[in-house]
Amino acid sequence: MSEKTIALLGQPNSGKSTLFNGLTGSRQHVGNWPGKTVERKDGSFVHKDTTYKIIDLPGTYSLSANSDEEVVTRNYIASGQADVVCILADASQLNRSLFMLADYTGIRVPVVLLLNMMDVAKSQGKHIDTNGIAKSLGIPVVPLVAADKKQYGTFFRMLESIDKNASTLDEKRLAQIYQNTIGAAFDEIKALLPADGIGIYSSTWLTAKLIEQDKLARSLVKETVDAGTYTAIEKKLSDVKDGNLLTGDCKFQWIDKLVNENVTSKKNKLLRSRFDKAATSKRWGKPIAIGMIVLGLICSMVIGFPLMGLFSGLISAISVPLANWLLDIGAAPFLVSLLCNAILTAVSFALQMASYVFGISLVFGLMEDVGYMARISYVFDDTMTKLGLQGKAIMPFLVSFGCNIGGITGTRVIDSWGQRVMTIALSWVVPCASTWGVVGLVSGTFFGNGAVVVVLALFAVAFLHIFITYKVFGRSLNKVEGRTGLIMELPPYHKPHWKSLFGSVFSKMGNVLSRALRIIICISVIFWLLSYSADGNVANSIIYKVGTFIEPVTSLFGLPWQLFIAFVASAMGKEASLGVMASLFNTGSIWAAIEQSATVDTAALSTSMLSVISRPEALAFLFAFFFNMPCLMALTATAQETHSMKWTVRIALYYVLTALIMATIAYHVGLVIF
């Protein structure tokens, strides 16, 4: 069986990921490019005795060397590993989506143009002469609807004949435009370069990149030509002003000419709807976006929560009969407890997490599929820019109010890996729905009517926390010189592709579940070992002994050992801290309390805590709890989305440390006030 490698290249929202998922299904791997914090997606599929390996290159708008994503893309194309590069363009808005193709012109690696979203273009009344475009470009042009696998036939036929038809882009037209627009300077610089170009790059392509002040192109030329020639090139370049604007104008002239010759459209088909005008307006855009996100969050919960309850109830129904059966056959109580408490509970946590991700992915994936998600990013871009982020970061923040897992998984719409991790680190501070159950109980119990003031103080410190977190992590993840504003197209609204959408959702749910099972089971078993006692009495567990031993240290944070253990347990799940407090203040089983935290007798717990805990200690706990890492499942989701255990651990340790620092400050402030 022969093997071929395909590289997918295109702008964000061009449909690369949809095609990649449609071709590879579950046969894909996600990681990082060696030495880079840029996501790498590899996959494979088999067609007519040929195995095709697909590399989904980072979505970028050009092949300039302004970001890690663009550098990775250029280096891979230059490596010669790909047999053919497939460039995707949005057929519904070719004038803007062909810029990547224009920037590729002059790279001598076989290329195919895939015109995606042909169904949307047709609904707009556009007729695209693909044969005419192919003749003008000198390369194969394939019409495509990436979301509909039934329409992959033309794409597969192209692959079957790629050995015969693979060709490079004809650069003559674009070269002529460069000469006409830029003038003699272009010809003079080009004449100083090797006539055959350098490696895969033609002299025309290199000249354009030199004029754009592309750092990698300059370095390549400097290494190739002699010192005198390079000095002459630099002198010529110094006479060219606004190089990026000049070459960009040339590329758009080339695109406009190509489109005008090969695309016809009926008039009045592209009028914007009243809703879209409101959704992108300065006055109504943000309120509509917030309303849509809240509605989406509610729908996500309506879909996800029943599944979470189903899996939770199913595991609970299995654990008791299984435990009884194991005991009947003589299994050691230690092993029975490990399997039926720690492992099955961890499986329950993982299934519940995957269920919530399913709801979030389905609802917000639908919003993205129909074209609305891009509008949310657009209207919030000015707001998020103040934090050095893109408008796309707003959705994860708002969704995190329902559940941090949804916010974390929602960051995958952000193009830059660094900004994605930065957004995750900031979204951890957003209090999820479960947080308020504990905050409400503890603040109401100890501060009565003053609980409102405590909650407002938590929010005020949360804003300060976001600012500090940004300053701490921004130096590494979001350097000033590497920031880019939001560059994106607003795709036209269109009908959802349900089959493709559900395929993507189930694939994402499966990936989340597999990673969640590994991480959650590991941590759950460790916590179970610490809290296990043969007689079920907490006083005989390791965690009790450790807690009482370290209380001189935890008291420095203003936390009695019971509250410190509850703080640790909140990392398993915010609501679990209630069960642990109920167990510790009533000498019950800690692990059983974690499993059954929702059934805690809050009235009895409040009475027990009032007799043992002081107000300053309660205030310290609230701050430690509120700013602790969200939960074990959020930690798993972070590892899933960042593909970096180093950054996941770094963010988690940062939150634990800052939570304890804030608890210490709150405790001493409480001593003064109370």
Side-chain angles (χ1 to χ4, degrees):
M1 182 178 289
S2 61
E3 294 186 0
K4 294 186 183 299
T5 300
I6 302 170
L8 295 183
L9 179 62
Q11 298 175 180
N13 300 316
S14 62
K16 277 194 315 94
S17 295
T18 303
L19 179 61
F20 178 81
N21 291 332
L23 290 171
T24 63
S26 60
R27 297 179 299 278
Q28 54 183 258
H29 171 73
V30 181
N32 283 352
W33 290 85
K36 296 286 184 180
T37 56
V38 178
E39 184 176 273
R40 174 182 176 129
K41 293 172 68 178
D42 302 353
S44 65
F45 70 95
V46 177
H47 176 70
K48 289 193 175 180
D49 297 325
T50 300
T51 298
Y52 293 92
K53 180 181 179 181
I54 301 184
I55 309 297
D56 186 7
L57 295 171
T60 62
Y61 286 91
S62 71
L63 290 173
S64 301
N66 297 323
S67 68
D68 282 349
E69 287 81 4
E70 291 167 338
V71 171
V72 160
T73 297
R74 250 167 71 174
N75 287 344
Y76 182 80
I77 293 171
S79 71
Q81 296 179 51
D83 294 294
V84 65
V85 175
C86 291
I87 297 181
L88 275 83
D90 181 353
S92 67
Q93 40 191 3
L94 285 176
N95 292 82
R96 293 189 292 272
S97 65
L98 284 174
F99 191 84
M100 173 63 78
L101 184 73
D103 210 31
Y104 191 94
T105 303
I107 295 179
R108 295 176 296 218
V109 174
V111 63
V112 173
L113 175 62
L114 305 181
L115 295 181
N116 188 29
M117 303 186 193
M118 289 292 288
D119 55 336
V120 178
K122 184 178 180 180
S123 70
Q124 294 174 341
K126 293 181 178 178
H127 173 73
I128 301 174
D129 182 3
T130 55
N131 291 329
I133 294 177
K135 185 176 180 180
S136 298
L137 298 176
I139 60 172
V141 177
V142 178
L144 184 69
V145 178
D148 186 357
K149 293 183 182 179
K150 294 179 181 178
Q151 299 194 37
Y152 283 15
T154 306
F155 174 76
F156 288 134
R157 286 192 292 274
M158 177 274 295
L159 292 181
E160 293 167 14
S161 60
I162 198 63
D163 290 334
K164 298 178 181 178
N165 298 326
S167 51
T168 58
L169 271 166
D170 185 344
E171 67 173 26
K172 292 179 182 178
R173 280 191 173 190
L174 183 55
Q176 188 62 53
I177 295 174
Y178 281 143
Q179 292 167 349
N180 294 340
T181 304
I182 300 175
F186 186 89
D187 289 331
E188 291 169 358
I189 295 170
K190 182 178 177 181
L192 292 169
L193 296 171
D196 293 333
I198 302 174
I200 66 167
Y201 306 117
S202 73
S203 56
T204 298
W205 189 90
L206 286 169
T207 303
K209 286 302 172 186
L210 288 174
I211 290 173
E212 294 170 11
Q213 299 295 318
D214 184 281
K215 57 186 180 182
L216 291 186
R218 289 174 71 101
S219 177
L220 178 62
V221 170
K222 187 176 182 179
E223 293 172 358
T224 305
V225 302
D226 60 72
T229 302
Y230 186 73
T231 300
I233 290 173
E234 284 194 315
K235 188 176 185 305
K236 296 291 183 183
L237 288 173
S238 65
D239 296 331
V240 181
K241 307 299 180 184
D242 300 321
N244 273 304
L245 294 178
L246 285 172
T247 59
D249 179 57
C250 292
K251 291 167 189 174
F252 278 115
Q253 287 183 48
W254 179 80
I255 293 169
D256 290 341
K257 184 175 179 61
L258 182 68
V259 172
N260 291 337
E261 290 176 349
N262 298 286
V263 180
T264 56
S265 60
K266 298 178 182 177
K267 294 183 178 181
N268 301 323
K269 282 285 183 179
L270 302 178
L271 294 177
R272 294 174 64 200
S273 66
R274 290 183 179 179
F275 173 80
D276 195 39
K277 290 180 180 178
T280 55
S281 68
K282 291 184 177 180
R283 181 177 182 182
W284 296 107
K286 290 178 183 177
I288 290 175
I290 292 174
M292 292 294 287
I293 290 175
V294 171
L295 179 61
L297 188 58
I298 293 171
C299 292
S300 300
M301 293 178 179
V302 170
I303 295 171
F305 280 15
L307 290 174
M308 294 172 72
L310 173 65
F311 286 126
S312 177
L314 182 63
I315 297 298
S316 297
I318 291 173
S319 60
V320 174
L322 179 60
N324 291 334
W325 178 76
L326 290 172
L327 290 172
D328 289 341
I329 64 173
F334 177 86
L335 294 176
V336 174
S337 180
L338 174 63
L339 175 62
C340 298
N341 288 339
I343 295 178
L344 283 183
T345 299
V347 171
S348 176
F349 284 169
L351 288 170
Q352 290 178 64
M353 174 181 172
S355 298
Y356 188 77
V357 169
F358 173 78
I360 284 284
S361 300
L362 179 60
V363 173
F364 288 101
L366 175 62
M367 291 171 65
E368 183 174 10
D369 195 27
V370 299
Y372 180 69
M373 287 301 295
R375 273 77 179 170
I376 295 178
S377 303
Y378 171 74
V379 299
F380 276 104
D381 186 52
D382 59 340
T383 303
M384 301 312 297
T385 298
K386 295 175 182 177
L387 277 176
L389 301 175
Q390 297 177 2
K392 296 178 181 181
I394 189 63
M395 197 274 280
F397 286 139
L398 296 180
V399 170
S400 290
F401 278 104
C403 180
N404 296 98
I405 301 169
I408 292 165
T409 58
T411 60
R412 63 181 54 190
V413 301
I414 299 173
D415 309 321
S416 164
W417 183 90
Q419 289 203 357
R420 185 185 309 167
V421 180
M422 184 78 254
T423 304
I424 290 175
L426 295 176
S427 70
W428 271 30
V429 80
V430 178
C432 68
S434 298
T435 300
W436 294 112
V438 181
V439 170
L441 172 67
V442 177
S443 61
T445 297
F446 286 92
F447 305 105
N449 294 332
V452 175
V453 178
V454 173
V455 172
L456 290 176
L458 288 170
F459 267 113
V461 175
F463 284 108
L464 177 63
H465 191 287
I466 288 176
F467 176 78
I468 294 174
T469 302
Y470 177 76
K471 290 295 183 181
V472 170
F473 291 116
R475 296 175 184 175
S476 300
L477 294 171
N478 199 24
K479 298 177 182 178
V480 174
E481 62 271 19
R483 292 179 198 168
T484 57
L486 181 65
I487 304 174
M488 65 180 300
E489 300 295 339
L490 295 182
Y493 292 107
H494 53 83
K495 295 178 181 179
H497 302 92
W498 293 106
K499 189 173 181 179
S500 174
L501 175 61
F502 275 101
S504 175
V505 169
F506 281 117
S507 175
K508 188 183 301 181
M509 184 179 177
N511 291 335
V512 168
L513 181 59
S514 63
R515 183 178 288 263
L517 284 171
R518 294 195 300 269
I519 296 177
I520 294 177
I521 287 177
C522 179
I523 296 179
S524 296
V525 168
I526 293 172
F527 196 88
W528 175 86
L529 289 170
L530 294 174
S531 63
Y532 177 78
S533 62
D535 57 4
N537 188 339
V538 67
N540 295 323
S541 67
I542 297 175
I543 206 166
Y544 179 93
K545 296 173 182 177
V546 171
T548 53
F549 177 76
I550 65 173
E551 188 165 33
V553 176
T554 66
S555 62
L556 297 176
F557 309 127
L559 300 173
W561 77 269
Q562 296 97 325
L563 290 183
F564 181 79
I565 296 302
F567 161 75
V568 173
S570 68
M572 296 281 291
K574 292 294 188 181
E575 63 277 10
S577 59
L578 280 180
V580 170
M581 285 190 287
S583 172
L584 295 175
F585 288 112
N586 293 287
T587 64
S589 168
I590 295 178
W591 192 261
I594 290 176
E595 294 180 79
Q596 301 172 6
S597 56
T599 61
V600 170
D601 185 342
T602 54
L605 176 58
S606 297
T607 302
S608 299
M609 288 194 300
L610 280 171
S611 64
V612 180
I613 304 301
S614 67
R615 280 187 167 189
E617 290 170 338
L619 188 65
F621 172 74
L622 282 172
F623 274 84
F625 169 83
F626 191 91
F627 293 103
N628 193 16
M629 56 175 280
C631 66
L632 180 56
M633 291 185 285
L635 181 76
T636 306
T638 298
Q640 172 79 21
E641 296 303 318
T642 62
H643 308 291
S644 172
M645 190 56 67
K646 180 186 76 173
W647 273 103
T648 301
V649 172
R650 187 177 295 181
I651 295 170
L653 291 177
Y654 168 80
Y655 267 83
V656 172
L657 179 61
T658 55
L660 292 175
I661 291 172
M662 290 183 187
T664 305
I665 296 172
Y667 175 69
H668 288 286
V669 170
L671 289 175
V672 174
I673 297 175
F674 306 113

